Amino acid sequence: MRGMTNTLTIGERIAWYRRRRGMSQEVLAGLVERTVDWLSKVENDRIPLDRLSVIKTVAEALDVSLGDLLAEPSLVDWTPDSGHQTVPALRDALLDYRRIALFDRGGPAVEAPPVEQLTRDVADLWEAYQASRFGYVTARLPWLLARAHATAEQRPDQPACQQLLALSYQLAAVQLTKLGEAELAWIAADRGLVAAQHSDDLAVTGSLARSVVHALLSVGKYAEAVRLTGDTADLLRPDLATPTPEITSVYGTLFLAGAMAAARAEDRATTRTFLAEADTVAGQLGRDANHLWTAFGPTNVDIHRVATAGELGDIQVAIDLGPRVDTTALPMERRARHALEVARAYSLWNRLDDALTTLLDAERLAPEQVRYHYLGRQLTLTWLRRSRGKPSTALLALARRLHVQT
């Protein structure tokens, strides 16, 4: 299905899979405990369906993945940054059996760079990710993983090498999550967590556990993600007695990921608890920072207040707070992701001009991020369907750039 349903909204995709299953609207509506009228309006784009908790419920009833209804993963474009080798090359690197512990010394000969050089390589790609240069990062991750493995195998007694290997896998996990490659992201996060545990660095271990939380989120395992948040917090909490900026940032960011999981599980109490804990930790840190590429601080907490409000359907909260959050000091990835949430809130509030302007601003900041996030594509398709008469030139041009024009 990759790329074949980019011109369908989520509602249209639900109708497509329902008919594929030979299921009537009455049957599907009953399975998700909704009315036939509601389902009919969803399938005909008269009700926007953008809350992942609801989409997940429908996906389970249709026996499809969450990604199937979100049209994920999407095809990664060839660009001067990416070249002509993207996700398939990264998949090959992750699925190389020689990377399994039993065979981890049987891979092809790869130059093992000095730790100092590998540190610079890891930092370069993390910075590119935070700049939303997704094609650049995806194309270079197989090379980075091979070099990180070679260095870790050559210097097994140096914890720093395992730390760098773990952070390389974490980068693969977060990048693949952005591209909708949920299963591959899970493999990368799992491999990274194993390396992190060998590094004896609790901050890196906590950071990798957070990536596992995100991997669980991407496949709709919200309750499991909430539990992992709590378990990891228990592991990190003793170190908060004498915290480093890294452990503080990882601990706080963990609760932001957990808050998203709780919101998608429609657990308001846990969402509030996790956000409050993150807010307290951000206050202790005292400012926005980027330790271990967390972009953690008070502003990221506010970003997640808006995002969780959107997931819970509290659009008034998202509208009131979202446009007032000043994200200019944060990495581009965070700024663009917040703009997507604000555009969603404006759209649900029927302020379509503001929604389109916000999405276009986000695209100017981070075109690849808007292109690969389901919200960017689905908002654009929804606006096309709701246009009375010919859509605006700006909307049509955006749809062409996102490859969703019908």
Side-chain angles (χ1 to χ4, degrees):
M1 295 296 293
R2 185 193 299 267
M4 295 178 63
T5 59
N6 275 358
T7 58
L8 300 182
T9 64
I10 292 174
E12 291 168 337
R13 213 169 286 117
I14 289 171
W16 190 91
Y17 280 111
R18 177 181 58 76
R19 289 191 290 267
R20 176 78 179 270
R21 293 297 188 200
M23 191 182 293
S24 68
Q25 286 186 331
E26 289 78 5
V27 170
L28 180 56
L31 289 173
V32 299
E33 299 182 345
R34 301 277 182 156
T35 66
V36 174
D37 181 62
W38 175 86
L39 180 59
S40 177
K41 288 177 178 176
V42 164
E43 291 186 350
N44 288 285
D45 294 315
R46 293 163 60 195
I47 295 178
L49 189 59
D50 65 336
R51 292 180 60 195
L52 287 174
S53 59
V54 180
I55 299 170
K56 174 178 176 284
T57 299
V58 178
E60 289 174 346
L62 291 169
D63 190 29
V64 298
S65 72
L66 183 61
D68 287 329
L69 294 188
L70 300 179
E72 290 184 334
S74 57
L75 186 67
V76 175
D77 291 335
W78 286 342
T79 67
D81 256 358
S82 72
H84 290 182
Q85 288 193 316
T86 57
V87 173
L90 182 51
R91 178 184 293 110
D92 288 346
L94 290 172
L95 297 183
D96 184 351
Y97 77 89
R98 290 167 297 194
R99 296 279 71 90
I100 299 171
L102 182 61
F103 305 104
D104 63 3
R105 296 183 183 277
V110 175
E111 177 189 359
V115 173
E116 296 77 12
Q117 180 59 54
L118 184 60
T119 300
R120 289 192 292 271
D121 294 340
V122 170
D124 171 70
L125 284 197
W126 267 103
E127 289 164 9
Y129 166 79
Q130 290 194 321
S132 295
R133 295 177 62 191
F134 292 169
Y136 177 88
V137 174
T138 302
R140 286 157 182 78
L141 270 168
W143 168 83
L144 179 67
L145 289 170
R147 285 161 62 85
H149 265 289
T151 298
E153 290 166 7
Q154 190 177 90
R155 304 174 180 88
D157 57 334
Q158 293 189 22
C161 299
Q162 291 294 332
Q163 294 165 15
L164 291 168
L165 179 59
L167 291 170
S168 300
Y169 271 119
Q170 183 181 13
L171 179 57
V174 297
Q175 180 63 88
L176 288 163
T177 298
K178 289 291 186 186
L179 299 177
E181 296 279 358
E183 287 78 12
L184 291 178
W186 173 265
I187 293 171
D190 180 68
R191 298 267 182 88
L193 188 56
V194 171
Q197 290 169 325
H198 290 156
S199 75
D200 296 324
D201 186 318
L202 199 56
V204 172
T205 300
S207 193
L208 266 296
R210 175 171 56 92
S211 288
V212 177
V213 170
H214 282 295
L216 289 168
L217 278 172
S218 67
V219 294
K221 300 293 185 181
Y222 305 140
E224 292 87 342
V226 169
R227 285 196 295 271
L228 179 57
T229 298
D231 291 343
T232 306
D234 290 342
L235 177 69
L236 299 178
R237 198 169 286 116
D239 271 41
L240 294 178
T242 54
T244 64
E246 290 77 15
I247 200 78
T248 301
S249 298
V250 168
Y251 182 80
T253 311
L254 173 70
F255 279 104
L256 296 182
M260 290 300 296
R264 291 178 188 176
E266 302 190 90
D267 183 346
R268 290 176 177 273
T270 302
T271 302
R272 288 193 297 269
T273 298
F274 283 0
L275 285 174
E277 184 71 10
D279 190 45
T280 298
V281 177
Q284 294 169 353
L285 192 63
R287 62 183 180 84
D288 293 323
N290 197 26
H291 301 291
L292 278 182
W293 300 286
T294 55
F296 182 69
T299 303
N300 208 351
V301 176
D302 284 340
I303 285 175
H304 281 78
R305 291 190 194 283
V306 175
T308 53
E311 295 294 347
L312 290 166
D314 297 334
I315 306 306
Q316 182 69 63
V317 174
I319 284 287
D320 290 345
L321 177 60
R324 294 191 287 109
V325 178
D326 182 2
T327 63
T328 52
L330 296 189
M332 199 66 71
E333 182 274 329
R334 289 286 80 204
R335 296 173 62 187
R337 182 66 184 88
H338 177 64
L340 284 166
E341 287 295 341
V342 174
R344 170 166 69 167
Y346 277 141
S347 183
L348 291 170
W349 216 245
N350 209 31
R351 292 170 57 177
L352 299 186
D353 288 343
D354 289 331
L356 177 58
T357 297
T358 302
L359 190 59
L360 289 172
D361 287 344
E363 189 197 23
R364 279 190 286 273
L365 290 173
E368 290 181 87
Q369 185 157 354
V370 173
R371 162 74 178 86
Y372 296 122
H373 199 285
Y374 86 93
L375 269 180
R377 299 192 303 271
Q378 289 302 313
L379 286 171
T380 302
L381 274 171
T382 298
W383 300 336
L384 285 173
R385 299 291 193 274
R386 292 163 67 180
S387 295
R388 296 178 179 176
K390 185 177 179 180
S392 68
T393 301
L395 179 56
L396 286 172
L398 175 62
R400 283 195 295 272
R401 291 192 298 274
L402 301 189
H403 307 309
V404 297
Q405 186 176 14
T406 57

